């Protein structure tokens, strides 16, 4: 039996086809990268209605006239001190801000700004009982109301939990998203690392904690995915204009990392990561003990099943520790950022919040 011959002609034909495809793709990628790109983030119009030091309060105009079942109670969103609130309005078609406005929510959002050297001595008390309380009072007075709705994200959610425990009379409904409240967990590498972080030495050395340093630490939590895989994915999609634009938007947000006031960082690490005081009702802020049982307003608690920064174990205990009888946990099949930007979660996250708030609008 004769041995089969190597089909050289077929191999050469396939190589030629692949070369032609690669050349065409490279040409398309060159046109995309050298051409005009729309990479603007946080494009939804807003007004700055209150300013104090570096902190601003944004008020968004509703995208459409509020529906008949729209909310009369404004919603204040408090983002973390790490990274920026622009995550909620990152790209067209995947904007939590736009979804809220379309649902008839009267939306306010805190912009923490960029701390300078003079801010290094600001504490959690300054942020919660100072800036946050002043902004809440501003909104209450503007709308002639006794209560507002409050939503916190990540560290901003922790602040919102603290605020709601210390000022429960001002909060009608509380929403927490990817919010750490139980820090005694080994589910995420961040929680393992933070148990041994010398906060005193870091703050005494840097003053404010540099945003770039913290951002680098977050990247090291999963370097293969966050520093290699995503750029491989970018190289494979450089000929896709929409992909490139959204990739750049995300990179803009990731590397827009404000510093964190030193004393706030020190207390957050020592009281939360080291001693886990908040979930035990032992944390003190501004000379007052934070008792979670004083959170008697309805509570909606979101977290991500695959969150490597704030894992489920850091979030899921909260609803069992508060004094409210109206609580709900929602665990989404996504990570820390996917809750706000993935197309699947966009269909679940903001609409769920709008429905939940509307169901409680007329409940005193």
């Amino acid at each position: 039996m004769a041995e089969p011959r190597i089909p050289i002609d077929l191999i050469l034909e396939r190589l030629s086809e692949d070369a032609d495809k690669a050349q065409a793709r490279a040409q398309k990628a060159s046109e995309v990268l050298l051409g005009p790109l729309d990479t603007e983030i946080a494009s939804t119009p807003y007004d700055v209605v209150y300013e104090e030091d570096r902190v601003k309060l944004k008020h968004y105009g509703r995208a459409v006239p509020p529906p008949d079942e729209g909310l009369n109670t404004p919603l204040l969103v408090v983002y973390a001190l790490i990274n920026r609130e622009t995550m909620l309005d990152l790209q067209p078609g995947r904007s939590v801000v736009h979804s809220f406005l379309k649902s008839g929510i009267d939306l306010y959002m805190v912009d923490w700004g960029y701390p300078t050297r003079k801010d290094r001595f600001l504490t959690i008390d300054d942020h919660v009982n100072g800036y946050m309380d002043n902004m809440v009072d501003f909104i209450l007075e503007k709308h002639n109301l006794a209560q507002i709705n409050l939503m916190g994200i990540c560290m901003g959610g922790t602040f919102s939990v603290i605020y709601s425990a210390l000022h429960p009379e001002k909060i009608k409904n509380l929403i927490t998203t990817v919010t750490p409240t139980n820090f005694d967990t080994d589910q995420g590498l961040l929680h393992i690392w933070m148990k041994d972080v010398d906060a005193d030495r870091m703050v005494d050395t840097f003053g404010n904690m540099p945003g770039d340093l913290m951002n680098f630490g977050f990247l090291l939590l999963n370097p293969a995915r966050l520093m290699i895989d995503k750029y491989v994915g970018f190289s494979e999609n450089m000929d896709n204009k929409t992909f490139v634009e959204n990739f750049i938007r995300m990179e803009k947000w990731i590397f827009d990392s404000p510093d964190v006031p030193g004393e706030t960082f020190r207390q957050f690490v020592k009281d939360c990561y080291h001693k886990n005081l908040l979930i035990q009702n032992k944390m003190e802020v501004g000379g007052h003990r934070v008792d979670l049982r004083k959170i008697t307003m309805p509570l909606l608690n979101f977290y991500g099943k695959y969150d490597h920064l704030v894992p489920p174990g850091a979030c899921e205990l909260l609803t069992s520790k508060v004094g409210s009888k109206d609580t709900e946990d929602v665990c989404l099949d996504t990570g820390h950022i996917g809750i706000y930007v993935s197309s699947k979660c966009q269909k679940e996250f903001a609409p769920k919040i709008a429905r939940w708030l509307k169901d409680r609008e007329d409940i005193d």
Side-chain angles (χ1 to χ4, degrees), residues 299-320:
L299 168 62
L300 179 61
N301 183 39
F302 280 93
Y303 51 93
K305 184 176 181 180
Y306 306 109
D307 192 333
H308 71 290
L309 291 175
V310 186
C315 306
E316 58 193 3
L317 289 184
L318 176 62
T319 51
S320 66

Side-chain angles (χ1 to χ4, degrees), residues 17 25 105 152 168 243 266:
E17 291 176 355
R25 185 169 168 273
I105 292 175
F243 180 93
R266 190 198 306 266

Side-chain angles (χ1 to χ4, degrees), residues 45-52 55-61 74-76 106-111 134-143:
Y46 63 85
D47 295 313
V48 175
V49 294
Y50 177 88
E51 289 187 66
E52 184 177 356
V55 182
K56 297 177 181 178
L57 178 63
K58 299 178 177 180
H59 184 216
Y60 291 84
L75 173 66
L76 173 63
D106 195 356
L107 181 63
Y108 291 83
M109 191 180 301
V110 178
D111 176 356
N134 291 341
M135 286 185 282
V136 169
D137 285 346
F138 173 86
I139 298 171
L140 293 176
E141 183 176 351
K142 178 181 177 181
H143 293 267

Side-chain angles (χ1 to χ4, degrees), residues 23 53 64 106 109 114 208 227 242 255 257 285 294 326:
Q23 183 178 6
D53 301 328
V64 295
D106 195 356
M109 191 180 301
Y114 297 87
N208 292 330
M227 292 194 284
T242 300
F255 294 102
S257 304
V285 174
K294 293 184 178 180
D326 182 359

Side-chain angles (χ1 to χ4, degrees), residues 195-213:
K195 290 177 182 178
D196 293 317
V197 163
D198 189 341
D200 289 330
R201 184 173 183 179
M202 296 184 77
V203 173
D204 292 344
T205 299
F206 291 106
N208 292 330
M209 280 304 302
D212 290 338
L213 177 63

Side-chain angles (χ1 to χ4, degrees), residues 258-277:
D259 298 345
V260 175
E263 292 306 316
T264 295
F265 179 84
R266 190 198 306 266
Q267 184 182 3
F268 198 75
V269 171
K270 296 175 76 170
D271 284 1
C272 296
Y273 282 101
H274 290 178
K275 301 176 184 177
N276 197 30
L277 298 181

Side-chain angles (χ1 to χ4, degrees), residues 90-140:
L90 195 63
Q91 64 193 58
R94 297 184 185 179
S95 168
V96 174
V97 167
H98 186 265
S99 295
F100 279 164
L101 299 178
K102 191 175 180 180
S103 299
I105 292 175
D106 195 356
L107 181 63
Y108 291 83
M109 191 180 301
V110 178
D111 176 356
W112 290 115
Y114 297 87
T116 61
R117 290 182 63 185
K118 70 182 180 64
D119 297 308
R120 64 166 295 182
F121 298 107
L122 294 176
T123 62
I124 293 177
D125 175 46
D126 292 312
H127 289 86
V128 172
N129 293 316
Y131 297 125
M132 279 183 65
D133 194 39
N134 291 341
M135 286 185 282
V136 169
D137 285 346
F138 173 86
I139 298 171
L140 293 176

Side-chain angles (χ1 to χ4, degrees), residues 90-242:
L90 195 63
Q91 64 193 58
R94 297 184 185 179
S95 168
V96 174
V97 167
H98 186 265
S99 295
F100 279 164
L101 299 178
K102 191 175 180 180
S103 299
I105 292 175
D106 195 356
L107 181 63
Y108 291 83
M109 191 180 301
V110 178
D111 176 356
W112 290 115
Y114 297 87
T116 61
R117 290 182 63 185
K118 70 182 180 64
D119 297 308
R120 64 166 295 182
F121 298 107
L122 294 176
T123 62
I124 293 177
D125 175 46
D126 292 312
H127 289 86
V128 172
N129 293 316
Y131 297 125
M132 279 183 65
D133 194 39
N134 291 341
M135 286 185 282
V136 169
D137 285 346
F138 173 86
I139 298 171
L140 293 176
E141 183 176 351
K142 178 181 177 181
H143 293 267
N144 193 27
L145 293 170
Q147 294 180 316
I148 65 166
N149 296 321
L150 182 63
M151 171 177 160
I153 297 171
C154 194
M155 185 184 190
T158 310
F159 284 5
S160 296
V161 168
I162 294 171
Y163 184 88
S164 298
L166 295 177
H167 306 276
E169 73 283 358
K170 298 182 182 182
I171 304 303
K172 183 177 181 65
N173 300 292
L174 173 62
I175 302 163
T176 52
T177 68
V178 296
T179 293
T181 49
N182 171 43
F183 296 81
D184 186 17
T185 176
D186 292 333
Q187 285 186 3
L189 186 56
L190 177 63
H191 285 262
I192 296 173
W193 282 0
M194 293 300 288
K195 290 177 182 178
D196 293 317
V197 163
D198 189 341
D200 289 330
R201 184 173 183 179
M202 296 184 77
V203 173
D204 292 344
T205 299
F206 291 106
N208 292 330
M209 280 304 302
D212 290 338
L213 177 63
M214 290 188 294
N215 201 33
F216 182 63
F218 296 144
L219 294 176
L220 289 177
L221 292 172
N222 195 337
R225 182 171 66 85
L226 299 177
M227 292 194 284
I228 299 176
D229 286 357
K230 73 172 183 177
Y231 294 113
V232 172
F234 175 75
S235 68
E236 294 174 344
N237 291 275
M238 288 190 299
D239 57 335
N240 184 327
K241 184 178 180 181
T242 300

